[in-house]
């Protein structure tokens, strides 16, 4: 009998922060402010403080605002490879919300070719695999 398959299940590294192809934020019904990560209690706009917060999909594209190649292990949720490999973190200004969201550069993309202002899109990619399945998170991939 074949051993049970592992790695078939895609598990969000963080629950409720993204779908299969988009980041999830919340938008305030009173003032229109958008939050990421999702704000679940009340609007952080000090002039508002409404509790009318709805889930919204955020822009799938944005522009590179800043990026850096990290040569040290990052805290969760950025689970690195074993053995450690340098990885690139990109700060992306979302096209509609104009808020900056950090994420890793997509697998197989050489950061040497990345420039401030480049357009990127979200990619839900594996972070690591264990007995429970493949843990996935959002990353940023240049739009070619
Ligand atoms: Zn508000």
């Amino acid at each position: 009998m074949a051993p049970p398959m592992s790695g078939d299940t895609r598990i969000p590294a963080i629950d409720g922060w993204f779908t299969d192809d988009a980041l999830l934020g919340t938008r305030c019904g009173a003032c229109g402010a958008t939050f990421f990560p999702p704000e679940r209690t009340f609007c952080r706009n000090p002039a508002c403080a409404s509790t009318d917060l709805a889930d919204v999909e955020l822009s799938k594209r944005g522009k590179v605002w800043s990026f850096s190649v990290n040569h040290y292990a990052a805290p969760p949720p950025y689970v690195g490879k074993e053995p450690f490999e340098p990885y690139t973190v990109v700060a992306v200004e979302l096209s509609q919300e104009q808020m900056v969201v950090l994420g890793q550069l997509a697998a197989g993309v050489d950061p040497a070719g990345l420039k401030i202002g480049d357009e990127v899109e979200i990619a839900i990619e594996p972070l690591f695999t264990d007995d429970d399945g493949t843990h996935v998170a959002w990353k940023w991939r240049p739009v070619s």
Side-chain angles (χ1 to χ4, degrees):
M1 210 172 106
M5 296 287 289
S6 67
D8 289 329
T9 309
R10 285 166 68 90
I11 304 165
I14 309 173
D15 274 330
W17 286 25
F18 56 94
T19 66
D20 284 342
D21 65 351
L23 292 171
L24 277 181
T26 48
R27 183 166 295 146
C28 175
C31 74
T34 304
F35 302 100
F36 182 84
E39 179 60 57
R40 302 290 180 198
T41 42
F42 56 85
C43 179
R44 292 200 302 266
N45 174 358
C48 178
S50 169
T51 56
D52 177 16
L53 297 161
D55 284 359
V56 287
E57 284 195 357
L58 303 182
S59 300
K60 293 176 184 175
R61 290 192 176 191
K63 287 192 174 358
V64 175
W65 186 73
S66 180
F67 64 97
S68 70
V69 181
N70 287 348
H71 295 272
Y72 56 88
Y78 297 109
V79 178
K81 288 196 168 70
E82 293 288 342
F84 177 75
E85 290 176 13
Y87 63 97
T88 303
V89 172
V90 189
V92 173
E93 186 181 67
L94 300 182
S95 58
Q96 299 244 321
E97 299 81 1
Q98 299 192 319
M99 56 198 290
V100 173
V101 175
L102 294 174
Q104 287 189 35
L105 188 62
V109 179
D110 183 356
L114 201 62
K115 300 187 306 297
I116 304 295
D118 280 356
E119 188 166 19
V120 292
E121 63 186 1
I122 191 169
I124 305 299
E125 291 193 347
L127 278 185
F128 65 95
T129 299
D130 62 15
D131 290 343
D132 296 329
T134 301
H135 298 254
V136 298
W138 73 94
K139 297 186 184 182
W140 297 108
R141 182 197 311 281
V143 177
S144 51

